Amino acid sequence: MKKTKSEKAQQTRKKIIQSAEQLLLDNTINKISVRDITTKANVAKGTFYLYFDSKAELAWTLVEKSVLVFDRELTVLRDAPVTKEVLSSLISKAVDFSIKHKKLLQIIHHEYFLAFLQHDHQHKEYEERFTLKIQTWLDRGNQEGIFQIPDTYFYAKFMLISLHDLLERMILGELDYDLASSKEHLTTIMNNILRWGVL
């Protein structure tokens, strides 16, 4: 991707991304053109290509916006103590992010958006990266005698997929449950899965 460093350039890039997000609230990505995005952003069509090689690259920027936040939170597990408070904080941050960026996440998880990106391969890479970070934390819990988990990779994958699937279905309105009310329940479920201190 081409990069420029001036503040004006950063503002222009941000305006293009925000315009795309606004258009995607009412239209599928296949129905939005680069011209539509630049018109909404009030920039020349050529300006778009100073920042993005294609509409697909812009779409990936929207995905990475959420992925990077979650990745950063999971990276904290590397040095975090193995405690219920750390797990609760992680779940709370995931829910808070989902509430704050609900519209963006609805766009990203729309079936047409994912099909446009041919998302499956990249999704598996993200899932594996996140799983390994959780597994490392669980491994430490085993070493410290906090857990007695026979297969930490399986548990990490299960926890990640369960949390992601439940939040996704709430974000998309497929579960008639309020996101803000889910923190306590999700934390209880994850604590029960880990069976802290139970031999």
Side-chain angles (χ1 to χ4, degrees), residues 22-40:
Q22 289 166 11
L23 288 168
L24 284 164
L25 290 174
D26 300 315
N27 299 280
T28 63
I29 194 162
N30 293 320
K31 293 182 179 177
I32 297 170
S33 67
V34 170
R35 173 71 69 196
D36 294 330
I37 295 168
T38 55
T39 298
K40 179 82 173 171

Side-chain angles (χ1 to χ4, degrees), residues 20-164:
E21 285 182 26
Q22 289 166 11
L23 288 168
L24 284 164
L25 290 174
D26 300 315
N27 299 280
T28 63
I29 194 162
N30 293 320
K31 293 182 179 177
I32 297 170
S33 67
V34 170
R35 173 71 69 196
D36 294 330
I37 295 168
T38 55
T39 298
K40 179 82 173 171
N42 197 28
V43 298
K45 187 175 179 182
T47 302
F48 177 93
Y49 294 103
L50 293 175
Y51 303 94
F52 304 99
D53 292 331
S54 64
K55 188 170 68 169
E57 185 181 352
L58 171 59
W60 271 116
T61 300
L62 298 182
V63 173
E64 287 167 355
K65 201 171 170 182
S66 60
V67 167
L68 290 174
V69 169
F70 198 50
D71 190 46
R72 187 167 59 246
E73 293 301 337
L74 285 177
T75 298
V76 171
L77 289 180
R78 183 181 58 204
D79 302 312
V82 183
T83 63
K84 290 182 180 181
E85 291 74 25
V86 167
L87 180 62
S88 176
S89 175
L90 185 65
I91 292 169
S92 181
K93 286 177 181 178
V95 173
D96 288 343
F97 180 84
S98 299
I99 293 168
K100 184 177 179 183
H101 300 281
K102 188 174 180 181
K103 293 293 184 187
L104 172 62
L105 294 171
Q106 285 173 334
I107 290 167
I108 289 171
H109 288 92
H110 194 283
E111 60 180 307
Y112 290 111
F113 190 89
L114 296 177
F116 173 78
L117 286 181
Q118 300 178 333
H119 182 253
D120 198 47
H121 174 70
Q122 192 72 40
H123 175 75
K124 286 176 182 172
E125 285 184 16
Y126 290 142
E127 187 179 287
E128 184 67 9
R129 186 196 320 169
F130 296 159
T131 298
L132 292 175
K133 289 182 178 184
I134 298 170
Q135 182 190 17
T136 300
W137 188 71
L138 295 177
D139 283 338
R140 266 197 298 118
N142 267 356
Q143 291 163 7
E144 294 171 15
I146 297 166
F147 306 130
Q148 295 291 319
I149 298 175
D151 187 343
T152 54
Y153 179 83
F154 182 88
Y155 271 63
K157 176 85 76 175
F158 181 81
M159 290 169 68
L160 178 69
I161 291 173
S162 300
L163 181 61
H164 178 268

